[in-house]
Amino acid sequence: MDTNLIQQAMPSLRIARYRPEIDRAIATVLDGSSYILGPAVATFEAAFAARLGARHCIGVGNGTDAVALALGGLGIGPGDEVITTALTAPGTAQGIALTGARPVFADVDPVTGCLDVPAAERAITPRTRAIVVVHLYGHPADVAGFRALADSAGLALVEDCAHAHGARLGEQALGVFGDAAAFSFYPTKNLGCLGDGGAVVCGDPEVAARIRALRRYGWKAGAQISECVAGNSCLDEIQAAILSALLPHLDEGNLERRAAARAYRDGLGGTGLGMPPDDPGCVYHQFVVRHSRRDRLREALLHDHGVSCGVHYSPPLHQHPAFATAVPPSLPHTERLASEVLSLPIQGEIAARYLPRIVDALVSACAS
Ligand SMILES: *Cc1c(COP(=O)(O)O)cnc(C)c1O
């Protein structure tokens, strides 16, 4: 690997920064005698629920399963339609499909890239049972608008918070506005572990109990009796212990991302790049600029300047074979954004080392 290359995300830098705490967390699990759904998972579930102001947290295997189990816990399954965005990670729509329901894509807001309320409303059919909103790049989606739409149409609302750990709308953390919310702890997320991990949070104890059964063989609390058909998807003890060690640093990391976003806005003002919306509750899982010749710019940054940027997301999910339909949905804003978005490195540890170099590279690449 070219050691001069600035990568778009570098989770190993975060691990190095908090290494002593992570080592201690892992040692605690190794010194114990419980490896599946033991004290470390219970401790993290309580801490994460408290951090968000949520009533229940259920640790699961990954973010895709978190979407599936959130919907499953709300009773969504085969024959149902679930409205969502195509400008998201495959896990959002795969999680919907894992329940047996069909993802139905509606267009996004042209500025925020988040699912658009009127577009979602137009996509409702008699089979629609739920809406999954994504707080894209850590920017709060219009949850008040979606809550009102879901309530008036009798639909469940699920927040995909895989980009939004610690993000806020007013004083409230994202994740408490929906009937349930799904989190991923994939290593590059704002709160990430050293493998796969995820969680569902929700307010209703009966929904929480169903999700707990769905994550482990359909077992009801306290009995090893399978009450329903279910797979097996648990957050593991070592990842939970690592997450408990990293959770106290979440706000620090998010503040660093917000500071880096400010520095990018200042430094890139004259480049002509489209800047992301500036929301006080955003945690910048990605800092996403827009350029009409995105692919050319991305190549120049990589080859001439050693700066690797990301694209979140292209192609959009309605153009993936798994989700293609005979009559493709009309998603002009989604397709336009998918062709223009470019994710700059924004993780705090990268910004601390390289932000001026990345700004210089963009200024130079945009001028040529
Ligand atoms: C990462 C991600 C997921 C899936 O999470 P995994 O833990 O990788 O399964 C789902 N939705 C969004 C928006 C994501 O970014």
Side-chain angles (χ1 to χ4, degrees):
M1 190 180 73
D2 178 357
T3 48
N4 273 325
L5 181 70
I6 302 173
Q7 288 169 284
Q8 206 256 326
M10 303 173 81
S12 60
L13 294 179
R14 177 166 46 175
I15 303 311
R17 178 177 178 182
Y18 300 117
R19 182 66 189 261
E21 288 151 89
I22 292 170
D23 280 340
R24 273 199 299 281
I26 294 172
T28 310
V29 177
L30 301 190
D31 289 340
S33 57
S34 180
Y35 311 110
I36 303 286
L37 296 186
V41 169
T43 299
F44 174 70
E45 287 176 340
F48 196 55
R51 169 65 184 75
L52 299 177
R55 241 177 244 125
H56 304 281
C57 173
I58 302 102
V60 301
N62 55 68
T64 304
D65 284 350
V67 172
L69 296 180
L71 289 166
L74 293 165
I76 281 75
D80 297 336
E81 291 179 358
V82 176
I83 295 168
T84 194
T85 165
L87 192 67
T88 182
T92 307
Q94 294 287 17
I96 294 169
L98 276 173
T99 67
R102 189 169 81 82
V104 172
F105 300 111
D107 210 359
V108 297
D109 179 281
V111 175
T112 67
C114 295
L115 189 63
D116 180 56
V117 176
E121 184 167 15
R122 288 192 296 275
I124 294 174
T125 76
R127 288 174 176 266
T128 306
R129 293 284 312 284
I131 301 172
V132 176
V133 296
V134 179
H135 302 297
L136 191 70
Y137 314 141
H139 180 96
D142 179 7
V143 275
F146 281 109
R147 186 74 266 175
L149 174 61
D151 289 347
S152 76
L155 308 176
L157 178 64
V158 171
E159 298 173 72
D160 181 337
C161 288
H163 296 183
H165 316 72
R168 286 179 297 104
L169 187 68
E171 293 305 306
Q172 270 186 306
L174 298 184
V176 302
F177 295 91
D179 298 295
F183 287 85
S184 164
F185 305 120
Y186 183 85
T188 60
K189 309 290 189 188
N190 290 33
L191 180 62
C193 53
L194 298 190
D196 277 316
V200 183
V201 303
C202 64
D204 183 331
E206 285 175 24
V207 172
R210 277 199 294 275
I211 295 170
R212 286 183 190 281
L214 288 174
R215 82 169 160 183
R216 191 133 178 95
Y217 313 139
W219 285 353
K220 236 184 174 167
Q224 298 187 351
I225 301 292
S226 293
E227 303 277 346
C228 60
V229 172
N232 178 28
S233 180
C234 303
L235 182 65
D236 78 67
E237 285 285 291
I238 290 180
Q239 301 309 333
I242 292 167
L243 288 166
S244 286
L246 292 178
L247 182 59
H249 302 295
L250 173 63
D251 287 336
E252 178 180 32
N254 285 345
L255 284 171
E256 289 169 3
R257 287 169 184 267
R258 290 186 54 80
R262 270 196 306 281
Y264 274 139
R265 286 182 201 284
D266 291 345
L268 301 175
T271 57
L273 289 167
M275 288 293 131
D278 190 358
D279 185 286
C282 180
V283 293
Y284 294 100
H285 173 57
Q286 305 294 356
F287 186 86
V288 176
V289 296
R290 294 173 60 181
H291 192 272
S292 56
R293 279 173 299 172
R294 185 265 322 278
D295 292 333
R296 226 191 58 168
L297 177 63
R298 189 187 190 192
E299 283 289 304
L301 287 166
L302 183 61
H303 291 117
D304 304 342
H305 302 278
V307 177
S308 168
C309 293
V311 170
H312 299 95
Y313 295 89
S314 182
L317 295 184
H318 65 295
Q319 295 171 351
H320 291 221
F323 304 113
T325 45
V327 181
S330 168
L331 307 174
H333 297 314
T334 299
E335 290 175 12
R336 173 103 195 256
L337 284 168
S339 73
E340 293 187 350
V341 289
L342 185 71
S343 307
L344 311 185
I346 186 76
Q347 187 191 325
E349 294 85 14
I350 305 178
R353 285 170 178 73
Y354 303 119
L355 191 128
R357 215 180 109 189
I358 301 167
V359 168
D360 287 348
L362 278 151
V363 169
S364 148
C366 288
S368 62

